[in-house]
Structure formats: C-alpha cells, structure tokens
Amino acid sequence: MMAKIITFVLIFIALAASHLLIDEKGYVLISFNQTTIEGSIVSFTILLLLAITALVLLGKIVRWSWRHLINTKGHFSRKRKLKAQQAWDESLWLLINGEVEQAATLLAKTPQPDERQDYVRAIAAKAALKQGDIVKANTELEAISDDNQGQLATLWLEANNSEQALALLDDKMSAAKPTAAVLSGYIAACVEAQQSEQATTQIAKWHKKLNWSDAQWQTLFERMFTATPEQADALFNMLPKAVKAHAVPALTKVKLQQGRIAEVTGDLKKLLKQGQYHQLAEYLQYNTQANAELKLALQQQLKKHPDDKELLFALACLCNAEADYELAAKIFDSLSAHPWEARWSKQAQLAYEKIHTYEKAYLIAKS
C-alpha cells in the first residue's frame, strides 16, 4: 500500500516540478457550475498530498476503531466463559478429592453453560445426599433431563428411591449383554428394594462379569441376608459355587444371630485351630447361643496364649451367650488394659448391665 502511495506522490511531484524545466510557473483552474478554484500547480500538489495523507490516517483510525469495537463486543462473554471454565475445572478436582459439597457450592456461584446443567444438578444432588438432605437431592435428580436419567441409578438408590433406580435400569438389563456397571446398579437396587431373590438370580446369571473384590461381595451378602434373614439359607443355595465362598461370612453371622451355633461349630473350631482368632471373634460377637464344646476349645487355646485379646473377647462373647455375665465382666476388665476397641462395647455393656455395674456400662456407652 505504501509503495503505491509513494509512486503516486512521485508522479505528482514530477508533474508539479515539470514546469520548472520549461521555465513556467504552471496554472490550475477548476470550474464547477458557479464555483471556480484556481492556483498554481505547486499549491495544488501540496493540497493533494495533504489530502492523501489525511485519508490514509483516517483509514487507519477507522480500521483500529473497528477492530477494538469488535473485540470489546465479545470481551464480557469471553470473560464469563473463562470464569465458568475455571470454576468447572476446579470443581472436578474437588470431586476427585472427595469434596463434593465444596464443588456443588462453587458451581452454584458460577453459572455454567446449558450443556453442563445436568452435571451441575447431579453434583448438587450428591452433595445434598452427603448432608442428609433427601428432599433437595430428589428435587435436583428430578430436574435432570430424560436423556441423562439412565446414569442416575446409584444416586436414586442413595436417595432411598430404589423403585426409580430399578425403573431406570430395567431397559438396560433387557440388553443382550448388560455392562458390569448396569449389573452392579441393578443388583444394589434389588437389595435396597428388598428383592433379594431377584438380586440372587442376577448374580447367578452374571457373576462372571462382576469383577468385585471379596470385601464388596461380603458387604452385598451381609446387606442381603440381614434384610431377609429368614431367606438366607435359600438365597445361599441359589448362588453358584464360585460365589458361595464370599457369602459364607454373612450366612455364618445370620446363623449365630438366630441361635444356630451348632451348625457352624465345626467351622469356628477350624478358625481356632488355624490361629484365625480375629475372624473367630468377629463372628462370636453376634452369637446368642451357648456352646460348651467351643468354649472348652477356646479355654484350652487361652492356656497357650493367655494375653491374646481376640481369644479373650471371643470367650467373653460365649460367656454372655450362656448368661455367665460375671466371667464376661472379668474378661472385659482385663481387656481394659489394652487400647479399647469399639467392637467390644456392645458385649461389654451387656455384661456390666446384667451384673448391675451400671457406672462401667455408662462410661462405655458414653465413650
């Protein structure tokens, strides 16, 4: 552009100076209707150069102004988008670190784009559930679009709405090969809705796709058998052989609570012989029936390990079951020399209350 301007200026300079070669001053006359403009070539050349310079500067000013006007027009929208993105990124890190309430608060303060609203509501629902606000959680879940309702089965379960969770998962379960996530959600929903038989049927059918840890299996069966203890044996028999091993602890607990210690005495003695004292004590804390055979075996083992706290606690549980509360209380007195464990408290309170040592029972209940 500048090259063209310079060329144009040089041509006019040449024209303006050409009269000097012929010793003439030069003369310009412009007439338009009744208006007449006249002057020398030099003056008109100078005016023309000034006009061109002014037009160039004016063009640059107009372009600069237009460019900044366009940028200013989108400035605030870009700032809002940047702020929303920063809040979104921060909230994801809060979620990863388990701080769901802080994430929900941050997203509530910073408006997010429409395409993220379902996620914002889901996070708000999870935060409400963590705070125990079931009403708010249900309100947020109901506001989520139908397209994403299929992803909310777990949250509906946490909101104590197993029927809604099952309804959402029914269609997915009808697929030829439901995913592991769908299976897990459906089984959990069945247990929550106390449809234990349906849950067991699905476990028997799809257990190979459920890559759960032993702890996850045991937690599931404990919830299932505890909810319907009268069906525990029947449900256990419905399970495939590969899964039954995970269900044994929950079934043993139910049998002990029902006073059926004779059915599991052999298994409990095996734990004693194998030195699995902690597992034995875990079981016996639920026992409600006396068993002289197991008590004798425990006492013999205590002669070898008189200070073992697991054996002492297991014996105290058996003493409570046969109403020998005096001996149980003495055992808990000796256990007080060890760092107190929360799982001892229930049995200790029972023993102290039965022998009318209410002060000790009160202190344990208060701790």
Side-chain angles (χ1 to χ4, degrees), residues 190-206:
C190 287
V191 173
E192 188 70 27
Q194 295 192 359
Q195 298 181 17
S196 300
E197 189 172 343
Q198 175 66 7
T200 308
T201 300
Q202 297 302 325
I203 291 171
K205 184 177 180 181
W206 299 105

Side-chain angles (χ1 to χ4, degrees), residues 38-96:
E38 55 184 306
S40 66
I41 291 177
V42 174
S43 62
F44 270 91
T45 300
I46 293 171
L47 287 174
L48 182 61
L49 289 173
L50 291 173
I52 292 171
T53 303
L55 288 172
V56 171
L57 291 174
L58 181 61
K60 288 186 176 183
I61 291 171
V62 169
R63 285 197 301 272
W64 182 86
S65 300
W66 178 255
R67 186 167 59 249
H68 280 72
L69 178 64
I70 295 298
N71 287 339
T72 303
K73 187 177 180 180
H75 171 73
F76 295 107
S77 63
R78 285 198 303 274
K79 190 174 181 180
R80 283 195 299 271
K81 288 180 181 178
L82 179 60
K83 188 175 180 181
Q85 185 62 48
Q86 289 174 339
W88 181 252
D89 293 342
E90 186 177 347
S91 68
L92 290 181
W93 285 116
L94 287 169
L95 280 173
I96 290 170

Side-chain angles (χ1 to χ4, degrees), residues 318-330:
L318 282 175
C319 289
N320 275 339
E322 65 179 22
D324 189 356
Y325 303 116
E326 289 281 354
L327 180 55
K330 289 179 181 179

